[in-house]
Amino acid sequence: MPGVHATARIRAAADGRGGTSLPVLDSDGPLALRRTRGGADEARVMLVGAMSGPLGGDRFAVEADVDTGARLHVGSAAATIALPGQLKDEAHYAVRLTVADGGELRWLPEPLISAKGSDLHVSTQVDLAPDARLVLREEQVLGRVGEEPGRLTSRLAVYVGGRALLDQELACGPGAPGGWDGPAVLAGHRAVGQLLVVRPEFRDNPVAARVLGESAAVLPLAGPAALVSAVAPDGLRLRRVLDEALAALNAR
């Protein structure tokens, strides 16, 4: 039988009173969206997995649109675990994010764990207006404790004002191009992640490139953005590095 196909949708809009409303909050199948308590001007949404997956052959998608003047924070209740299924087909998880001028999106899900035998392709596309704001975190853990990883391919493409800001892809696990676990890529680490921060003020005051500890770096991008890339032995240490980097960027 075919895999599960599901698309969840969010739209955040300014409510005219200094806050943010959610005119669209549509769950679908295993992708359940729940509004939680947010700040005075921010709407907060939690993505709750209603079943295991994605499994082989599944096609999941999450779409979020942030209108002018709205602020949206999206997280997840738990890690997403890519699992093998009865179908041997590749599973797909697509994220599509759009932020208008004056809007702000904080996309901070829990990690994605690639379990042994799984085959998942994750694609994230972000379209930002020139004066939009974004904080986006991606964390990927290769295998559960004491387990070999599945195959994981992840692509992140970000555009600001229609111009490419970042377009990169990483493939890991069995069948991935050689060298993914070598010294030039993961160097034997089991967790890999990145933090992308886009702010209009970075145009005139760009972030300085620097190394963070032994396995992370901050890089200014050719646009109003900074990228933090990191590897770590496990997901807990990866989160610590990315949290410290975000705190440093917020303190500028």
Side-chain angles (χ1 to χ4, degrees):
M1 56 185 301
V4 176
H5 290 205
T7 300
R9 296 180 173 88
I10 309 167
R11 180 180 159 225
D15 64 6
R17 302 185 301 275
T20 299
S21 64
L22 296 173
V24 176
L25 191 65
D26 292 340
S27 303
D28 188 14
L31 301 174
L33 301 171
R34 301 287 184 265
R35 181 163 190 171
T36 61
R37 188 186 298 270
D41 59 350
E42 176 189 77
R44 185 169 294 212
V45 174
M46 194 70 66
L47 179 61
V48 181
M51 59 183 283
S52 297
L55 308 176
D58 289 350
R59 289 182 175 268
F60 294 172
V62 180
E63 300 175 357
D65 296 306
V66 181
D67 292 352
T68 298
R71 297 185 65 209
L72 175 65
H73 180 130
V74 179
S76 57
T80 298
I81 304 179
L83 296 166
Q86 293 183 346
L87 295 178
K88 301 303 181 183
D89 296 343
E90 183 181 64
H92 290 259
Y93 201 129
V95 176
R96 295 183 286 272
L97 311 174
T98 304
V99 186
D101 275 327
E104 180 174 347
L105 173 62
R106 296 173 61 84
W107 185 265
L108 301 170
E110 293 303 304
L112 169 64
I113 300 174
S114 175
K116 182 178 180 179
S118 64
D119 187 357
L120 177 64
H121 189 283
V122 180
S123 62
T124 302
Q125 180 170 323
V126 186
D127 291 289
L128 304 172
D131 289 325
R133 294 175 177 269
L134 173 74
V135 176
L136 180 146
R137 182 181 68 213
E138 287 190 338
E139 299 169 312
Q140 294 153 358
V141 179
L142 305 181
R144 293 169 289 195
V145 176
E147 176 185 67
E148 294 298 315
R151 176 163 181 172
L152 176 63
T153 303
S154 176
R155 182 180 178 186
L156 173 62
V158 183
Y159 300 86
V160 176
R163 289 186 163 189
L165 174 74
L166 176 68
D167 194 338
Q168 65 180 26
E169 182 173 288
L170 176 66
C172 304
W180 64 269
D181 56 350
V185 188
L186 297 187
H189 292 91
R190 294 177 59 87
V192 58
Q194 54 195 353
L195 177 74
L196 177 65
V197 180
V198 182
R199 294 175 182 162
E201 55 266 32
F202 285 173
R203 288 192 185 94
D204 299 323
N205 186 20
V207 172
R210 65 186 185 277
V211 175
L212 300 174
E214 298 180 354
S215 57
V218 180
L219 296 173
L221 300 182
L227 177 69
V228 181
S229 298
V231 294
D234 55 58
L236 288 176
R237 276 176 275 193
L238 177 66
R239 174 65 61 84
R240 187 178 305 126
V241 170
L242 295 179
D243 282 350
E244 290 173 355
L246 181 57
L249 289 172
N250 287 339
R252 292 180 78 245

